[in-house]
Amino acid sequence: MVKASIIGANGYTGLELMNILSAHKSVTITHLVSVSNKSTRITDMYPSLVGLKDSFFEGVDDLDAISKDSDVIFSCLPHAASAELCGKLFERGVKIIDLSADFRYDSRSVYEKTYKTLHPYPELLNLAAYGLPELYKEKIKKASIVGNPGCYTTCSILPLYPLVKEGIIDADNIIIDAKSGTSGAGKKAETSGLFAEVNENFKAYGVAVHRHTSEIEQEISNAAGRDIALSFTPHLLPVTRGILATIHLKPIIDIDEHGIYEVYRKYYANQPFVLFSLDKLPSLNCVKYSNYISIGFVLDKRLRRLIVVSCIDNLIKGASGQAVQNMNIMFGLDETEGLRMQPRHL
Amino acid sequence: MVKASIIGANGYTGLELMNILSAHKSVTITHLVSVSNKSTRITDMYPSLVGLKDSFFEGVDDLDAISKDSDVIFSCLPHAASAELCGKLFERGVKIIDLSADFRYDSRSVYEKTYKTLHPYPELLNLAAYGLPELYKEKIKKASIVGNPGCYTTCSILPLYPLVKEGIIDADNIIIDAKSGTSGAGKKAETSGLFAEVNENFKAYGVAVHRHTSEIEQEISNAAGRDIALSFTPHLLPVTRGILATIHLKPIIDIDEHGIYEVYRKYYANQPFVLFSLDKLPSLNCVKYSNYISIGFVLDKRLRRLIVVSCIDNLIKGASGQAVQNMNIMFGLDETEGLRMQPRHL
Amino acid sequence: MVKASIIGANGYTGLELMNILSAHKSVTITHLVSVSNKSTRITDMYPSLVGLKDSFFEGVDDLDAISKDSDVIFSCLPHAASAELCGKLFERGVKIIDLSADFRYDSRSVYEKTYKTLHPYPELLNLAAYGLPELYKEKIKKASIVGNPGCYTTCSILPLYPLVKEGIIDADNIIIDAKSGTSGAGKKAETSGLFAEVNENFKAYGVAVHRHTSEIEQEISNAAGRDIALSFTPHLLPVTRGILATIHLKPIIDIDEHGIYEVYRKYYANQPFVLFSLDKLPSLNCVKYSNYISIGFVLDKRLRRLIVVSCIDNLIKGASGQAVQNMNIMFGLDETEGLRMQPRHL
Amino acid sequence: MVKASIIGANGYTGLELMNILSAHKSVTITHLVSVSNKSTRITDMYPSLVGLKDSFFEGVDDLDAISKDSDVIFSCLPHAASAELCGKLFERGVKIIDLSADFRYDSRSVYEKTYKTLHPYPELLNLAAYGLPELYKEKIKKASIVGNPGCYTTCSILPLYPLVKEGIIDADNIIIDAKSGTSGAGKKAETSGLFAEVNENFKAYGVAVHRHTSEIEQEISNAAGRDIALSFTPHLLPVTRGILATIHLKPIIDIDEHGIYEVYRKYYANQPFVLFSLDKLPSLNCVKYSNYISIGFVLDKRLRRLIVVSCIDNLIKGASGQAVQNMNIMFGLDETEGLRMQPRHL
């Protein structure tokens, strides 16, 4: 059994991790840390977590104790605070899966510029694997620190990577128009997140300045073998879960739908959580409550353009499910263990 | 032209008042006060208020100045804070329409017990009219202070009053099962109000202890001519606007549907904002975005029970629309001026 | 392995059954019947059912073939049509779990009066068990036909039964004010079910005439040992899943909260899917996506009234989950097999 | 007083027209036609239309009678059926505002190719004005037939036209990523429109083949002075009202934000229903329930791209409000009469 602990367990990614891990057959949960909710019974905050009805949130006072009986720690803290703590836990010999942005970047300067903060443990950036198993499974297997990707980034990189790597599309003309449910904004009490503000509303935000842009660009640059800059425009959907990205592309070779489908087959046929289709576009209800990403596309022959649509559940494949997938890989478990939930149409 | 000001204009009842008053033909808005948003352009907070695009929120520093060019002040402050300020403004000769609970009670002690605070101006309670125009139009005409009723209370009292007053139903067995949209909780940033918490959820709250109970009981006791205690159970609906109350009653006389309809006709046939029906039950989309209350009922002959259903828009008939209706009456204007918006089915 | 087939698999209860059964370790799905969608690939209609990606809907032409390789058949057909087919399948020796109303009634005449149709197989009514495992587990174990309870009825009977049986409350003054999500209305294309009609709306319907009333009365009469008539008022919530029932009661003995809690403990302490609490009221997000029912209550000492609140997921504990729970019991499997999904807070 | 009639009044654009026209000071409604609901009381279908409580839907049996006492007829029929009837009414001397696509096209062949039908009155296409008042007010003033624009098209053309006409952006690289509320799909009873299917879901549809593409291209080609083909991708939002279009563009001249703002000022400063901003992006709650379009933009200096965001209420500026705006212009009334509703933040 893998002994797993969660730091920052009270937020929505923590909630989702508790949900998945408490049903995972090869995991024992050892510590659920929430400084602001220390000593609160878990089910007082989340009655839905029936399986944790005798558990309480702990503080983070004794790192030695937490490290000692944890094989892996999931950190759901905000960036900077997360690296600060993860660094200390790593020094104590625990494996780390960090859901913040702190270990996602190859380049310290890109991280520091994007997040406008100094990295407290820059020396760990080289050690950390980028936790997108469909691209980096071998690195993740050997990693002791994994930087778990962002939600928008997972939904953007996976459909784009093969098309760029194979030279199918013009990598200098990538336009990602993405739409996310509100759970992506987390559990902070802010007026802008109130039901009355979000319901029956829809808006773009962070246009041209959203932080996930640099993370997507890092991976698409890897695919292209050169620096790529791309346009990323996020929107806030009045739904709780799910991201749909509509990606507007320009093919640069003569290719038909079957050719594009074969590209995806080449990269993802053996990936257990990637669904892709020749003739159907996914919608949120094809993936929500599951760890799948679903990819579809339309080749617009009239305009010689390619529109790719991808969907994930932002809290699962976009956060906690992917984190558990990474854990499974790091500990030699079946990659799908604990993650076999089917999507929910309703 | 009536010069009107709003204190606490930034919240949702303030928003609704600004919306109604800025289109009201006999009103000039003179001051829009929001201490926490002083000097903010109104349309920076609410771009929808196109008609106020050159207006700014003010502070409340100079009560003399505000009083001087206001014929009437609407207070949207929280209870206790509201009376504190309304008392001072009243002393300066301005008419007051208070949307808090501070001037709704005949009895100081019931108010103080319910709201667990001392009333700063108890001597004004006798002067104040309870602002339910369908029952107290004559008092309101002459009043200088109006305590504008609560949202749940408006939706409960209007369908019940005639039935109790006429001795149709057992006043000792009144069960009000009410459901409200989330705008009723206002604009406070609280985790429990986040979209992800309210969406796809439904719950009862304040069961057996909700403050509006005592306000409903005050008016139903007036109707009965004796002290009435009743059961009031509110719920939180995942919609932005609207209250629906399902009222479970026991008839104590032999009466059929037509008899009940006639009772409503007797009380409300000439009330411009009361809709009632012999054979249809209202739903939220019969009233939302309007100042109407709609009342329907089913006589369950099998059980000899009466189920009454009433609906209002909580922000309009349940708050700001009713406040403007009161203003119209206080200033001798047409009662419907500024309030002729039809309900919105969609 | 239990060989299971579903008739009427394309609707929402069928969808939920396919979802549960395709992950059930002791079940092999043999036939998925949908006459109107014969030969359609399941994932063309429901891409979410990833586990059924090579399955197709069948017609119902050859009952012998279906019976031959089915140990149990779940019928999701409408009432009357369901009994018609279930009777024929039963004659061929298959066990039946019918999700329609056709086998829920002890009394043919109550069924025929309620559903305004003749029962095609009245002789089977006595054989059938009422599939509420918390009350009738022993009967269900031995049954070859189970009438799976309605959604409103499950949510109403389970909280009421112990209180009536133990003589705690006045069984002649039961008022159930219930609120259901829209998936309860099924997948029929009707204008009244359109998003624009349901969204931001709320209404009561079927007041004093809803068919589930007679089913609830049957079981509460069983508890009381005499004929009970009760008031049941359903409402349509703008959510996809979930039922919340607010039950207004009058205690007839001197009892406190602990006493009521003990009554629930006596009946449900060993029932794996019943959650109950001394001091918290459930909301939809305590149960949705799970097979749990959650029960809470408030004793209103001022009025000497008792308000009980119960919640279920209408598609799971209110339909398909309960059907699988019944199957587990009928076939000697662990009652919770395939049903261990935790509720989803989000 | 203008005597106005509506054909196909029972659908959602008809509902919105009834709502606007019944409060319009210079209009008398003479006929409300709905063949499928002939003799139904309007408020039995739409209780919200309190102002029409004594009106009934009529059939369309006697075109002479309808024509005789109508100065203008709004047709809300589907395409082809609409032209068929509008042609006959036009021959009887009535002015026509057609909300279908039948009179929107300059080119018969583009219409017939797009809508896959023969045009029954192709000779009327030249007479008809395209009812976008911000671009064609003078034509509309003199027109006897107006083809009222589509919802997506209004939201796309108005932000694009000035940028193309002034040569600011590359007209061969226009990408419109549009998102619409479900009322745009009308009131047809279809499974895909059910609450449970739309709620908590989001999808692209009609990718590369949506009919509104050709209508947008017609107007953008007019602006460019040459044939333009553009990419239009619509999505279905789980909201009732509103369209937001995110338009991805490539500037071809050296221009800053102020320059772009000045372009919009040049075209729209005197247009009463166009809001535009230098530094804010609109969201649906800036326009819903009003006849405004709101336009904002971000110039992405890093990528030298321009992202324009525009919002309308699809039923008002995208359909019935614009139709009334056209009527006002055709009859020499104040363009804003009956359309001064402010947007609703909530």
Side-chain angles (χ1 to χ4, degrees):
Chain A
M1 297 296 274
V2 176
K3 288 173 287 175
S5 294
I6 306 172
I7 314 282
N10 61 303
Y12 289 151
T13 54
L15 164 63
E16 201 65 39
L17 273 173
M18 291 190 283
N19 190 53
I20 296 170
L21 292 178
S22 64
H24 194 294
K25 284 184 198 144
S26 305
V27 167
T28 307
I29 297 177
T30 45
H31 297 279
L32 296 172
V33 173
S34 168
V35 172
S36 53
N37 298 282
K38 191 177 166 177
S39 305
T40 301
R41 186 185 284 271
I42 308 285
T43 50
D44 282 355
M45 179 175 281
Y46 296 121
S48 62
L49 292 172
V50 180
L52 295 173
K53 67 175 189 296
D54 299 319
S55 301
F56 292 80
F57 288 120
E58 301 172 35
V60 72
D61 316 306
D62 186 348
L63 292 184
D64 290 325
I66 293 174
S67 311
K68 207 174 156 184
D69 54 1
S70 300
D71 298 315
V72 62
I73 287 177
F74 294 88
S75 172
C76 301
L77 296 177
H79 70 269
S82 191
E84 191 72 47
L85 196 69
C86 288
K88 291 177 190 160
L89 291 162
F90 178 76
E91 288 167 351
R92 283 164 171 82
V94 194
K95 293 192 178 180
I96 302 291
I97 299 172
D98 178 26
L99 283 83
S100 88
D102 288 352
F103 297 102
R104 294 175 188 163
Y105 284 85
D106 300 331
S107 155
R108 172 184 181 175
S109 69
V110 173
Y111 169 83
E112 296 190 340
K113 194 175 149 202
T114 304
Y115 285 86
K116 296 179 175 45
T117 185
L118 293 180
H119 198 293
Y121 284 88
E123 67 277 16
L124 297 182
L125 288 177
N126 283 340
L127 289 178
Y130 187 65
L132 203 47
E134 289 75 13
L135 301 182
Y136 298 112
K137 206 165 294 180
E138 292 311 310
K139 280 195 208 166
I140 294 164
K141 271 185 196 167
K142 299 171 205 148
S144 293
I145 308 189
V146 167
N148 208 59
C151 50
Y152 280 126
T153 56
T154 296
C155 198
S156 301
I157 295 166
L158 287 177
L160 276 171
Y161 192 95
L163 302 177
V164 172
K165 185 85 174 180
E166 300 291 318
I168 310 294
I169 55 106
D170 179 0
D172 297 316
N173 264 301
I174 295 173
I175 293 167
I176 305 169
D177 192 291
K179 301 88 177 172
S180 173
T182 65
S183 58
K187 213 187 161 179
K188 284 181 301 292
E190 291 179 345
T191 299
S192 63
L194 291 177
F195 182 85
E197 299 287 327
V198 172
N199 182 43
E200 295 297 284
N201 199 7
F202 182 67
K203 65 175 177 186
Y205 68 99
V207 177
V209 299
H210 195 281
R211 289 161 167 178
H212 282 183
T213 311
S214 62
E215 192 183 330
I216 303 168
E217 287 177 344
Q218 167 180 287
E219 296 305 315
I220 300 311
S221 297
N222 281 347
R226 63 187 174 87
D227 279 357
I228 298 297
L230 50 77
S231 176
F232 173 69
T233 305
H235 301 74
L236 184 65
L237 276 176
V239 305
T240 297
R241 284 168 176 267
I243 290 181
L244 184 146
T246 311
I247 309 180
H248 302 276
L249 299 168
K250 195 89 195 147
I252 48 176
I253 64 164
D254 191 26
I255 192 164
D256 67 1
E257 287 91 344
H258 294 274
I260 292 165
Y261 183 77
E262 284 307 311
V263 172
Y264 283 125
R265 256 174 53 89
K266 176 174 165 188
Y267 281 75
Y268 299 138
N270 297 318
Q271 299 297 342
F273 293 116
V274 184
L275 304 170
F276 50 95
S277 166
L278 179 60
D279 52 10
K280 294 215 187 66
L281 294 180
S283 49
L284 293 188
N285 67 357
C286 299
V287 297
K288 62 185 180 177
Y289 293 101
S290 85
N291 197 50
Y292 289 100
I293 181 168
S294 184
I295 302 171
F297 57 90
V298 171
L299 197 60
D300 184 345
K301 282 164 193 134
R302 190 178 70 103
L303 301 174
R304 287 197 45 75
R305 298 198 65 93
L306 174 64
I307 295 116
V308 178
V309 174
S310 59
C311 290
I312 61 167
D313 184 308
N314 59 305
L315 291 177
I316 305 186
K317 184 60 178 168
S320 305
Q322 185 144 270
V324 172
Q325 188 182 354
N326 282 318
M327 180 201 74
N328 287 340
I329 294 167
M330 291 163 83
F331 286 87
L333 305 171
D334 181 331
E335 188 175 342
T336 67
E337 191 57 53
L339 297 170
R340 292 180 201 125
M341 315 79 84
Q342 281 195 106
R344 293 291 193 156
H345 180 81
L346 300 184
Chain B
M1 296 295 276
V2 176
K3 287 173 287 177
S5 295
I6 306 172
I7 314 282
N10 61 303
Y12 289 151
T13 53
L15 164 62
E16 201 64 40
L17 273 173
M18 290 189 283
N19 190 53
I20 296 171
L21 293 178
S22 64
H24 194 296
K25 283 184 196 146
S26 305
V27 166
T28 306
I29 298 177
T30 44
H31 298 278
L32 297 172
V33 173
S34 168
V35 171
S36 54
N37 298 283
K38 189 178 167 178
S39 305
T40 300
R41 185 184 285 270
I42 306 286
T43 51
D44 282 355
M45 179 174 282
Y46 296 121
S48 63
L49 292 172
V50 180
L52 295 173
K53 67 174 190 294
D54 299 319
S55 301
F56 292 80
F57 287 120
E58 302 172 33
V60 72
D61 317 305
D62 186 348
L63 292 185
D64 290 325
I66 294 173
S67 310
K68 207 173 156 185
D69 54 0
S70 301
D71 297 315
V72 63
I73 286 177
F74 294 89
S75 172
C76 300
L77 297 177
H79 70 267
S82 191
E84 191 72 47
L85 195 68
C86 288
K88 289 177 191 160
L89 290 163
F90 178 77
E91 289 167 350
R92 284 166 171 82
V94 194
K95 293 191 177 182
I96 303 290
I97 299 172
D98 178 27
L99 283 83
S100 88
D102 288 350
F103 297 102
R104 295 175 187 162
Y105 285 84
D106 300 331
S107 155
R108 172 183 178 174
S109 69
V110 174
Y111 169 82
E112 295 189 342
K113 196 175 149 201
T114 303
Y115 285 86
K116 297 179 174 49
T117 184
L118 293 180
H119 199 294
Y121 284 87
E123 67 278 15
L124 296 183
L125 288 178
N126 283 339
L127 289 177
Y130 187 65
L132 204 47
E134 289 75 14
L135 301 181
Y136 298 111
K137 206 166 293 179
E138 293 310 311
K139 279 194 209 166
I140 295 164
K141 270 184 197 169
K142 299 172 205 146
S144 293
I145 308 187
V146 166
N148 207 60
C151 50
Y152 279 126
T153 56
T154 296
C155 197
S156 300
I157 295 166
L158 288 177
L160 277 170
Y161 193 95
L163 301 177
V164 173
K165 185 84 175 182
E166 299 291 319
I168 310 294
I169 56 105
D170 179 359
D172 295 316
N173 265 302
I174 295 172
I175 293 168
I176 305 169
D177 192 292
K179 302 87 176 172
S180 173
T182 65
S183 59
K187 212 186 162 179
K188 282 182 302 289
E190 290 180 345
T191 299
S192 63
L194 291 178
F195 181 85
E197 299 288 326
V198 173
N199 183 42
E200 295 296 284
N201 199 6
F202 183 66
K203 64 176 177 185
Y205 68 99
V207 178
V209 299
H210 195 281
R211 288 161 167 178
H212 282 182
T213 312
S214 62
E215 191 183 329
I216 302 169
E217 287 177 344
Q218 166 181 287
E219 296 306 314
I220 301 309
S221 297
N222 281 346
R226 61 186 175 88
D227 279 358
I228 298 297
L230 49 78
S231 176
F232 173 69
T233 305
H235 301 74
L236 185 64
L237 276 176
V239 303
T240 297
R241 284 169 176 265
I243 291 181
L244 184 146
T246 312
I247 309 178
H248 302 275
L249 298 168
K250 195 89 193 146
I252 48 176
I253 64 164
D254 191 27
I255 192 165
D256 67 1
E257 288 90 343
H258 293 275
I260 292 165
Y261 183 77
E262 285 306 313
V263 171
Y264 283 125
R265 256 174 54 88
K266 175 175 165 187
Y267 281 76
Y268 298 138
N270 298 317
Q271 299 297 344
F273 293 115
V274 184
L275 303 169
F276 51 95
S277 166
L278 178 60
D279 50 11
K280 295 215 186 66
L281 293 179
S283 49
L284 293 188
N285 67 358
C286 298
V287 297
K288 64 183 180 179
Y289 293 102
S290 84
N291 197 49
Y292 289 100
I293 181 168
S294 184
I295 302 171
F297 57 89
V298 171
L299 197 62
D300 184 345
K301 280 162 194 136
R302 190 178 69 105
L303 300 175
R304 286 198 44 75
R305 297 198 65 92
L306 174 65
I307 295 116
V308 178
V309 174
S310 59
C311 290
I312 60 168
D313 183 307
N314 59 304
L315 290 177
I316 305 187
K317 185 60 179 169
S320 305
Q322 185 144 271
V324 172
Q325 188 181 355
N326 282 318
M327 180 200 75
N328 287 340
I329 295 167
M330 291 164 84
F331 286 87
L333 305 171
D334 181 332
E335 189 175 342
T336 66
E337 190 60 52
L339 297 170
R340 292 179 200 126
M341 316 79 86
Q342 282 194 107
R344 293 289 194 159
H345 181 81
L346 300 184
Chain C
M1 297 294 276
V2 176
K3 287 174 288 177
S5 294
I6 307 172
I7 313 283
N10 61 304
Y12 288 151
T13 54
L15 164 63
E16 201 64 40
L17 273 172
M18 290 190 283
N19 189 53
I20 296 171
L21 293 178
S22 63
H24 193 296
K25 284 184 197 144
S26 306
V27 167
T28 306
I29 297 177
T30 45
H31 297 279
L32 297 172
V33 173
S34 168
V35 172
S36 53
N37 299 282
K38 191 178 164 175
S39 305
T40 300
R41 185 183 284 272
I42 307 284
T43 51
D44 282 355
M45 179 174 282
Y46 296 122
S48 63
L49 291 173
V50 180
L52 295 173
K53 68 175 189 294
D54 300 319
S55 302
F56 292 79
F57 287 120
E58 301 172 34
V60 72
D61 317 306
D62 186 349
L63 291 185
D64 290 325
I66 293 175
S67 310
K68 206 174 156 185
D69 54 0
S70 300
D71 298 314
V72 63
I73 287 178
F74 294 89
S75 171
C76 301
L77 296 177
H79 69 269
S82 192
E84 191 72 47
L85 195 68
C86 288
K88 292 177 189 160
L89 291 163
F90 178 76
E91 288 167 352
R92 284 166 171 81
V94 195
K95 293 192 178 181
I96 303 290
I97 298 172
D98 177 26
L99 283 83
S100 87
D102 288 351
F103 297 102
R104 295 176 188 163
Y105 285 84
D106 300 332
S107 155
R108 172 184 180 174
S109 69
V110 173
Y111 168 82
E112 296 190 341
K113 195 175 147 199
T114 304
Y115 286 86
K116 298 178 173 47
T117 185
L118 293 180
H119 198 293
Y121 284 87
E123 67 277 17
L124 296 183
L125 288 178
N126 282 340
L127 289 177
Y130 187 66
L132 203 48
E134 289 74 14
L135 301 181
Y136 299 111
K137 205 166 296 181
E138 292 310 311
K139 281 194 207 165
I140 295 164
K141 270 185 197 167
K142 299 171 207 150
S144 293
I145 307 188
V146 166
N148 208 60
C151 51
Y152 279 127
T153 57
T154 296
C155 197
S156 300
I157 295 166
L158 288 177
L160 276 171
Y161 193 95
L163 301 177
V164 173
K165 185 85 175 180
E166 299 291 318
I168 310 293
I169 54 105
D170 179 0
D172 296 316
N173 264 302
I174 295 173
I175 293 167
I176 305 169
D177 192 291
K179 300 89 177 173
S180 173
T182 64
S183 58
K187 213 187 160 178
K188 282 181 305 288
E190 289 179 345
T191 299
S192 64
L194 291 177
F195 182 85
E197 299 288 326
V198 172
N199 182 43
E200 295 297 285
N201 199 7
F202 182 67
K203 64 176 177 185
Y205 67 100
V207 178
V209 299
H210 195 280
R211 289 161 166 178
H212 284 183
T213 311
S214 62
E215 191 183 330
I216 303 169
E217 287 177 345
Q218 166 180 286
E219 297 306 314
I220 299 311
S221 297
N222 282 346
R226 62 186 174 90
D227 279 358
I228 298 297
L230 49 78
S231 177
F232 172 69
T233 305
H235 301 74
L236 184 65
L237 274 176
V239 304
T240 298
R241 284 169 176 266
I243 291 180
L244 184 145
T246 310
I247 310 178
H248 302 275
L249 299 167
K250 195 88 195 147
I252 49 176
I253 65 164
D254 191 26
I255 192 165
D256 68 2
E257 288 89 346
H258 294 275
I260 293 165
Y261 183 77
E262 285 307 311
V263 171
Y264 282 124
R265 256 174 55 87
K266 177 174 165 188
Y267 282 74
Y268 298 137
N270 296 319
Q271 298 297 342
F273 294 117
V274 184
L275 304 170
F276 49 95
S277 166
L278 178 60
D279 51 10
K280 295 215 185 66
L281 294 179
S283 49
L284 293 188
N285 67 358
C286 298
V287 298
K288 63 184 180 178
Y289 293 101
S290 85
N291 198 49
Y292 289 101
I293 181 168
S294 184
I295 302 171
F297 57 89
V298 171
L299 197 60
D300 184 345
K301 281 162 193 138
R302 191 177 69 104
L303 301 175
R304 286 198 44 75
R305 298 198 65 93
L306 173 66
I307 295 115
V308 178
V309 174
S310 59
C311 290
I312 61 168
D313 184 307
N314 58 306
L315 291 177
I316 305 186
K317 185 60 178 168
S320 304
Q322 185 143 271
V324 173
Q325 188 181 355
N326 283 318
M327 180 201 74
N328 288 339
I329 294 167
M330 292 163 84
F331 286 86
L333 305 171
D334 181 332
E335 187 175 342
T336 67
E337 191 57 53
L339 297 170
R340 292 180 200 125
M341 315 80 84
Q342 282 193 108
R344 293 289 193 158
H345 180 81
L346 299 184
Chain D
M1 297 295 275
V2 175
K3 288 174 287 176
S5 294
I6 307 172
I7 313 283
N10 61 303
Y12 289 151
T13 54
L15 164 62
E16 201 64 40
L17 273 172
M18 290 190 283
N19 190 53
I20 296 171
L21 292 178
S22 64
H24 193 295
K25 283 184 197 143
S26 306
V27 167
T28 306
I29 298 176
T30 45
H31 298 279
L32 297 172
V33 173
S34 167
V35 172
S36 53
N37 298 282
K38 190 177 165 177
S39 305
T40 301
R41 185 183 285 271
I42 307 286
T43 51
D44 282 356
M45 178 173 283
Y46 296 121
S48 62
L49 292 172
V50 180
L52 295 172
K53 68 175 188 295
D54 299 320
S55 302
F56 292 80
F57 288 120
E58 302 172 33
V60 71
D61 317 306
D62 186 349
L63 291 185
D64 290 325
I66 293 174
S67 309
K68 206 173 156 185
D69 54 359
S70 300
D71 298 315
V72 62
I73 287 177
F74 295 88
S75 171
C76 300
L77 297 177
H79 70 268
S82 193
E84 191 71 48
L85 196 68
C86 288
K88 290 177 191 161
L89 291 163
F90 178 77
E91 288 167 350
R92 284 166 171 81
V94 193
K95 293 191 177 181
I96 302 290
I97 299 172
D98 178 26
L99 283 81
S100 88
D102 288 351
F103 297 102
R104 294 175 189 162
Y105 285 84
D106 300 332
S107 154
R108 173 183 179 174
S109 70
V110 174
Y111 169 83
E112 296 189 341
K113 196 175 148 201
T114 303
Y115 285 86
K116 296 178 175 47
T117 185
L118 293 180
H119 199 293
Y121 284 87
E123 67 278 15
L124 296 183
L125 287 177
N126 282 339
L127 289 178
Y130 187 65
L132 204 47
E134 289 74 15
L135 301 182
Y136 298 111
K137 205 166 294 179
E138 292 310 311
K139 280 194 208 166
I140 296 164
K141 269 184 197 168
K142 298 171 206 147
S144 293
I145 307 187
V146 167
N148 207 58
C151 50
Y152 279 126
T153 56
T154 296
C155 198
S156 300
I157 296 166
L158 288 177
L160 276 171
Y161 193 95
L163 301 177
V164 172
K165 184 85 174 181
E166 300 290 319
I168 309 294
I169 55 106
D170 179 0
D172 296 315
N173 265 302
I174 295 173
I175 293 168
I176 305 169
D177 192 293
K179 301 89 178 173
S180 172
T182 65
S183 59
K187 212 186 162 181
K188 284 181 301 289
E190 290 180 344
T191 300
S192 64
L194 291 178
F195 182 84
E197 299 288 327
V198 173
N199 182 41
E200 295 297 285
N201 199 6
F202 183 67
K203 65 176 177 185
Y205 68 98
V207 178
V209 299
H210 195 281
R211 288 160 167 177
H212 283 182
T213 311
S214 61
E215 192 184 329
I216 303 170
E217 287 178 344
Q218 167 180 286
E219 297 305 315
I220 300 310
S221 297
N222 281 346
R226 62 189 174 88
D227 279 358
I228 297 297
L230 50 78
S231 177
F232 173 70
T233 306
H235 300 74
L236 184 65
L237 276 176
V239 304
T240 298
R241 284 170 177 264
I243 290 180
L244 184 146
T246 311
I247 309 179
H248 302 275
L249 299 168
K250 195 89 194 144
I252 49 175
I253 64 164
D254 191 26
I255 193 165
D256 67 1
E257 287 90 345
H258 293 275
I260 292 164
Y261 183 77
E262 284 306 313
V263 171
Y264 283 125
R265 256 174 54 88
K266 175 173 166 189
Y267 281 74
Y268 298 137
N270 297 318
Q271 299 296 343
F273 293 115
V274 184
L275 303 169
F276 50 96
S277 165
L278 179 59
D279 51 10
K280 295 215 186 65
L281 293 179
S283 49
L284 293 188
N285 67 358
C286 299
V287 297
K288 62 185 180 177
Y289 293 101
S290 84
N291 197 50
Y292 289 100
I293 180 168
S294 184
I295 302 170
F297 58 89
V298 171
L299 196 61
D300 184 344
K301 280 162 194 139
R302 190 177 70 104
L303 301 175
R304 286 197 46 76
R305 297 197 65 90
L306 174 64
I307 295 115
V308 178
V309 174
S310 59
C311 290
I312 60 168
D313 183 308
N314 59 305
L315 291 178
I316 305 187
K317 184 61 178 170
S320 304
Q322 185 144 272
V324 173
Q325 188 182 353
N326 282 318
M327 180 200 75
N328 287 340
I329 294 167
M330 290 163 84
F331 287 86
L333 305 171
D334 181 332
E335 188 174 343
T336 66
E337 191 59 53
L339 297 170
R340 293 179 200 126
M341 316 79 83
Q342 282 194 105
R344 292 289 194 158
H345 181 81
L346 300 183

